[in-house]
């Protein structure tokens, strides 16, 4: 009886997650799990509100250069994989076996699933849920929607989420006015926005932005987005 109840609860949770992801294909999420966590944490820290800066930017308002820069920086095989980059996973595993630190190989799809629905950390439960939600969004959303949501919820500073808010806070203009250089700087801080800062880009961030601009050109420029 207990196992049956557990199975029913799990089945219900899975069904609810499917419905939620299906709805979010068309409904813009007003917040994310990571934003909520930041808002809660900030209440225990000194400082006044707002604790979270976020402004939704529609797909058509986001410059192609911003979309391309994030793909070039984070997931160059994004148009072609089904949510998981097996090539990068194999490379990460080979480097680990060779004695290097195990590095993540998360795709944009995985990061979207994690940031939108889950919490930070590496525990097995979270990783399992990340796989589930990644499969859901890859099945139920087109690539353009996955990238649109990611660009709107990605953390770009300790309290700034999404390119809409970042463009006003750090470039003093709307997202549609961002240049290719601005786009590369935004993408450059994504690996660790608590260390890499847009307000005072370090030499490391500047070098990474230069590398991203080269990668954007090597991918063929904004025409690469036609593969989505």
């Amino acid at each position: 009886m207990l196992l049956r109840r557990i199975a029913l609860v799990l089945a219900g949770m899975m069904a609810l997650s499917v419905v939620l992801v299906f709805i979010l294909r068309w409904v813009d999420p007003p917040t994310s799990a990571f934003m909520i966590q930041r808002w809660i944490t900030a209440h225990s820290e000194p400082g006044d509100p707002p604790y979270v800066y976020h402004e939704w930017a529609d797909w058509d308002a986001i410059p192609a250069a911003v979309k391309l820069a994030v793909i070039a920086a984070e997931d160059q095989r994004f148009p072609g994989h089904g949510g998981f980059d097996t090539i990068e996973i194999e490379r990460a595993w080979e480097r680990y076996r060779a004695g290097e630190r195990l590095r993540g190989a998360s795709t944009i799809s995985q990061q979207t699933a994690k940031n939108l629905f889950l919490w930070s950390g590496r525990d097995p439960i979270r990783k399992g849920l990340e796989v589930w939600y990644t499969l859901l969004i890859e099945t139920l959303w087109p690539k353009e929607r996955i990238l649109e949501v990611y660009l709107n919820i990605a953390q770009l500073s300790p309290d700034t989420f999404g390119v809409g808010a970042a463009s006003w806070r750090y470039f003093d203009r709307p997202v549609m006015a961002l240049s290719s250089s601005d786009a590369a700087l935004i993408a450059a801080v994504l690996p660790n926005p608590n260390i890499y800062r847009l307000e005072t880009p370090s030499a490391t961030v500047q070098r990474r932005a230069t590398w991203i601009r080269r990668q954007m050109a090597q991918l063929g420029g904004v025409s690469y987005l036609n593969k989505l």
Side-chain angles (χ1 to χ4, degrees):
M1 181 65 73
L2 178 60
L3 290 177
R4 185 169 180 271
R5 289 180 178 177
I6 293 174
L8 287 173
V9 170
L10 291 175
M13 292 174 64
M14 291 176 69
L16 285 173
S17 65
V18 172
V19 171
L20 175 60
V21 173
F22 182 75
I23 291 172
L24 291 177
R25 173 171 177 162
W26 294 281
V27 178
D28 299 333
T31 187
S32 71
F34 270 39
M35 284 185 234
I36 293 171
Q37 290 170 61
R38 172 58 194 168
W39 186 83
I40 292 172
T41 301
H43 275 76
S44 63
E45 300 173 350
D48 299 320
Y51 301 118
V52 171
Y53 294 86
H54 176 249
E55 178 180 316
W56 185 271
D58 289 330
W59 176 259
D60 291 338
I62 302 172
V66 175
K67 301 167 186 174
L68 179 62
V70 170
I71 291 175
E74 296 287 288
D75 185 4
Q76 294 188 10
R77 281 180 280 274
F78 175 66
H81 64 62
F84 307 94
D85 189 338
T86 56
I87 295 175
E88 285 301 317
I89 292 172
E90 290 175 1
R91 288 176 178 172
W93 178 246
E94 289 172 359
R95 289 192 294 266
Y96 176 69
R97 292 184 64 185
E100 297 183 23
R101 182 172 62 88
L102 183 61
R103 298 178 181 273
S106 292
T107 63
I108 286 174
S109 304
Q110 289 176 268
Q111 293 178 54
T112 303
K114 177 183 68 176
N115 291 3
L116 185 57
F117 298 111
L118 305 173
W119 60 93
S120 59
R122 294 179 176 270
D123 56 280
I125 293 177
R126 191 200 66 76
K127 292 300 292 184
L129 289 171
E130 180 185 308
V131 171
W132 169 248
Y133 277 106
T134 299
L135 291 172
L136 283 184
I137 65 175
E138 278 283 347
T139 301
L140 298 175
W141 297 358
K143 288 287 187 177
E144 292 92 337
R145 180 58 171 170
I146 296 173
L147 184 57
E148 179 186 25
V149 172
Y150 179 66
L151 290 170
N152 277 285
I153 65 172
Q155 188 174 11
L156 294 168
S157 81
D159 56 3
T160 307
F161 295 80
V163 296
S167 62
W168 282 115
R169 290 201 73 196
Y170 302 114
F171 300 94
D172 197 29
R173 48 184 173 273
V175 66
M176 64 184 66
L178 292 176
S179 67
S180 294
S181 296
D182 300 334
L185 277 174
I186 287 175
V189 305
L190 283 170
N192 194 334
N194 290 307
I195 295 176
Y196 302 146
R197 307 304 291 266
L198 281 171
E199 64 268 36
T200 53
S202 64
T204 299
V205 171
Q206 296 285 3
R207 285 194 299 270
R208 180 167 167 77
T210 299
W211 176 84
I212 290 170
R213 289 196 296 272
R214 289 199 301 267
Q215 294 299 304
M216 292 166 69
Q218 289 178 13
L219 289 174
V222 296
S223 62
Y224 188 76
L225 298 174
N226 294 331
K227 296 182 178 182
L228 297 178

